[in-house]
Amino acid sequence: MTLGEALITLLEAHGVDTVFGIPGVHTIELYRGLATSRIRHITPRHEQGAAFMADGYARVSGKPGVAFVITGPGLTNTITAMAQARADSVPVLVISGVNATTTLGKGLGFLHELPDQRGMLSTVALSSERVAEPGALAEALARAFTIFASGRPGPVHIEIPLDAMAKDAGMPTAVPVRAGPPKPDPKAIEEAARLAATASRPLILAGGGARRAEPALRDLAERLGAPVVLTANARGLLHGHPLGVPASPSLKPVRALIDAADLVIAAGTEFGPTDYDMYGDGGFTMPRSLVRIDIDQAQLERRPAALGILADCGEALLPLAAAVAPSGRNDGPARAAVAREAALAELTPDMRHQLRALEAIRDALPGAIIVGDSTQPVYAANLYYDHDRPGGWFNAATGYGALGYGPPAAIGAALAAPDTPVVCLTGDGGFQFTMPELGAALDAGAPVIFVIWNNRGYREIETSMRDAGIEPVGVSPAPPDFLRVAEAYGMKAERLSDLNGLPNALKKARHTGEACLIEIIVS
């Protein structure tokens, strides 16, 4: 068994069932064992798409997404996607080639040569490691999967030199993952419960780190009678619940709700400006009495709290809820309702119109996964939107903010949840970044419904320029005829002149069981 074959065997042992990648002469040895394995290979149209697909797959499946790319340009094409995964704490493993060991760092002009590939990746990835000998492979993979399982996840990179890929690896044995997420300190849980028992106006802030802990989060909120403010990556939790506030802390009424609390429990949120200060007005202030639950010690230290609990949110919220006696408070739903109504009223009429697109998708396809790109309805929904599925609403308009994320990430999501409707909501500008991935969706049999918000340009940027008194320049790239593009791929497509026909169009598209495209013309 070669090192390349051993790689496939070990990935299977770690539960990997799908990899995304584009083979090249620098990685063909990594593919030697793939055809006879249980792992499915998905071919995007660009390496950036491979890592975006791995990201979407990871967010929905809860398992690390894996991408195979060649050395040099293949790897540099993934850097944007890796940066997005790091910003949003998504476990993505990128395995690349690298030139022969004896040539590295010498500048001899080999194909795909970089001065220091690992050095470059180490600025983006949580870890970048070279496996130059077969005996080091099992340990390297164990370290990668340990990072994913034990702390704040993100992208990890492993490179394998060309001269190592075909070396004899024997019969490899997987090294087990050595650690799980940190367990909460029982004394910290007791102290948090004591603070909660004495609070008269408690509040919970839930971020993306809590998206898989809904039962415990709901139990704690109900025991405390505490409103729960949901950041963009936590939407879908507490859908329709009287204590839920699916609105951004960038909005004044939500900030007022937080400021009025005498205890704030923050679960899995980094207090990033894209959630808490989207407009950059500096109006958000850190809560005075704050309990933070976070899986990352460095994150706890960046924004200190009265009490920090180092733990996975699910591991901490469960015993905390059990330690809190029902408070008997009954003003929580009223406090939440006031914040919801005022937050919605703060949105502009245009934003409320854009929000209708999200609500139409949610109501036409209950339980759908909606993957957004950086486009006007997504920005509006990040400010205020109540999704009906935990973990079923995510996008690139927070954190790193990469355009073109939506289409490939939606393909990864659809492959992770093949029986669930998956909708990609993207603008005409952002869609053109990764439009060729329509072909990848068809190849993979991923029944994504691509909804294009076509306002003929980068309208959000144009609006920002006008608001700043700048004459808009460079914001009107002409879109193609998207229906003809879909036709060229053999994909069903429909054009709408407004939102009224969107529910029926979505239902028809879902009924086909295939990838489809819906274009909405925005005046």
Side-chain angles (χ1 to χ4, degrees):
M1 185 177 288
T2 66
L3 189 156
E5 291 173 305
L7 172 65
I8 303 303
T9 298
L10 292 171
L11 287 175
E12 283 185 321
H14 283 288
V16 174
D17 55 25
T18 306
V19 299
F20 305 90
I22 300 177
V25 294
H26 283 60
T27 53
I28 56 174
E29 281 296 336
L30 301 185
Y31 281 74
R32 184 176 292 278
L34 197 55
T36 56
S37 75
R38 297 187 301 274
I39 297 176
R40 183 182 184 187
H41 183 273
I42 304 297
T43 306
R45 298 305 187 261
H46 190 281
E47 288 95 353
Q48 185 186 83
F52 277 149
M53 289 178 191
D55 176 302
Y57 176 90
R59 295 197 201 214
V60 172
S61 69
K63 302 190 300 182
V66 181
F68 280 8
V69 296
I70 64 167
T71 184
L75 185 59
T76 57
N77 282 342
T78 68
I79 288 178
T80 294
M82 293 173 73
Q84 185 73 49
R86 179 155 187 161
D88 288 345
S89 305
V90 181
V92 171
L93 174 60
V94 176
I95 300 172
S96 78
V98 70
N99 283 320
T101 309
T102 56
T103 72
L104 298 178
K106 296 182 178 179
L108 299 174
F110 280 90
L111 181 66
H112 302 331
E113 185 179 68
L114 283 167
D116 183 1
Q117 184 169 281
R118 280 187 59 215
M120 179 179 62
L121 265 292
S122 65
T123 65
V124 177
L126 298 179
S127 169
S128 179
E129 188 168 349
R130 179 179 302 146
V131 175
E133 294 296 333
L137 180 61
E139 288 280 358
L141 286 172
R143 282 190 288 271
F145 282 89
T146 297
I147 289 173
F148 298 143
S150 61
R152 184 183 184 185
V156 171
H157 169 238
I158 293 175
E159 66 179 21
I160 304 175
L162 287 173
D163 54 322
M165 293 180 186
K167 286 184 176 180
D168 184 5
M171 291 299 293
T173 302
V175 175
V177 172
R178 297 181 178 85
K183 302 288 186 182
D185 182 347
K187 292 182 179 178
I189 295 296
E190 290 177 10
E191 176 62 11
R194 186 191 67 78
L195 292 171
T198 60
S200 59
R201 295 182 309 282
L203 179 91
I204 299 173
L205 294 175
R211 66 185 178 276
R212 298 186 188 278
E214 183 178 48
L217 178 68
R218 184 193 300 111
D219 189 18
L220 177 62
E222 290 175 348
R223 286 170 176 263
L224 291 176
V228 181
V229 174
L230 303 162
T231 68
N233 281 325
R235 302 291 171 78
L237 296 170
L238 274 68
H239 171 63
H241 195 287
L243 290 171
V245 183
S248 170
S250 296
L251 298 173
K252 292 182 179 65
V254 181
R255 290 175 172 178
L257 176 68
I258 297 170
D259 289 343
D262 60 355
L263 175 68
V264 173
I265 299 173
T269 177
E270 65 177 354
F271 290 96
T274 53
D275 277 315
Y276 290 83
D277 194 15
M278 180 184 290
Y279 298 111
D281 60 13
F284 177 78
T285 56
M286 291 293 290
R288 294 180 300 277
S289 180
L290 176 63
V291 174
R292 288 195 69 186
I293 302 169
D294 204 283
I295 200 171
D296 184 10
Q297 182 62 42
Q299 187 58 249
L300 290 174
E301 292 170 1
R302 288 187 188 108
R303 292 182 172 87
L307 176 62
I309 302 175
L310 178 65
D312 172 77
C313 282
E315 297 278 358
L317 289 172
L318 199 63
L320 179 56
V324 172
S327 67
R329 301 184 193 93
N330 55 17
D331 66 334
R335 291 160 58 207
V338 168
R340 285 195 303 267
E341 293 167 10
L344 184 59
E346 187 176 324
L347 301 186
T348 66
D350 280 348
M351 288 177 178
R352 288 197 291 272
H353 173 71
Q354 293 152 13
L355 184 58
R356 281 184 52 212
L358 271 298
E359 293 170 340
I361 296 170
R362 178 196 64 198
D363 296 344
L365 302 174
I369 296 168
I370 305 178
V371 184
D373 211 297
S374 295
T375 189
Q376 285 185 312
V378 172
Y379 287 123
N382 279 349
L383 286 173
Y384 190 105
Y385 171 61
D386 190 10
H387 195 54
D388 65 350
R389 178 192 181 100
W393 162 253
F394 56 88
N395 59 81
T398 62
Y400 196 61
L403 270 171
Y405 168 86
I411 294 169
L415 294 171
D419 298 325
T420 301
V422 176
V423 178
C424 168
L425 179 58
T426 180
D428 59 292
F431 185 53
Q432 292 180 75
F433 277 49
T434 49
M435 186 167 62
E437 301 302 355
L438 290 177
L442 293 170
D443 286 349
V448 177
I449 304 172
F450 299 94
V451 177
I452 303 173
W453 185 265
N454 187 354
N455 53 28
R456 297 189 64 82
Y458 305 132
R459 186 66 61 84
E460 189 72 14
I461 306 303
E462 179 182 345
T463 300
S464 297
M465 294 176 84
R466 292 189 187 280
D467 289 346
I470 299 170
E471 183 67 24
V473 175
V475 293
S476 302
D481 185 326
F482 290 115
L483 266 61
R484 290 192 177 185
V485 171
E487 181 184 356
Y489 279 104
M491 181 181 293
K492 293 182 175 63
E494 184 173 353
R495 178 176 290 131
L496 304 176
S497 59
D498 55 40
L499 293 177
N500 293 332
L502 183 56
N504 284 337
L506 289 164
K507 291 173 184 176
K508 283 194 299 181
R510 175 61 179 165
H511 184 70
T512 68
E514 301 173 351
C516 297
L517 184 148
I518 300 170
E519 179 187 20
I520 303 170
I521 302 298
V522 182
S523 62

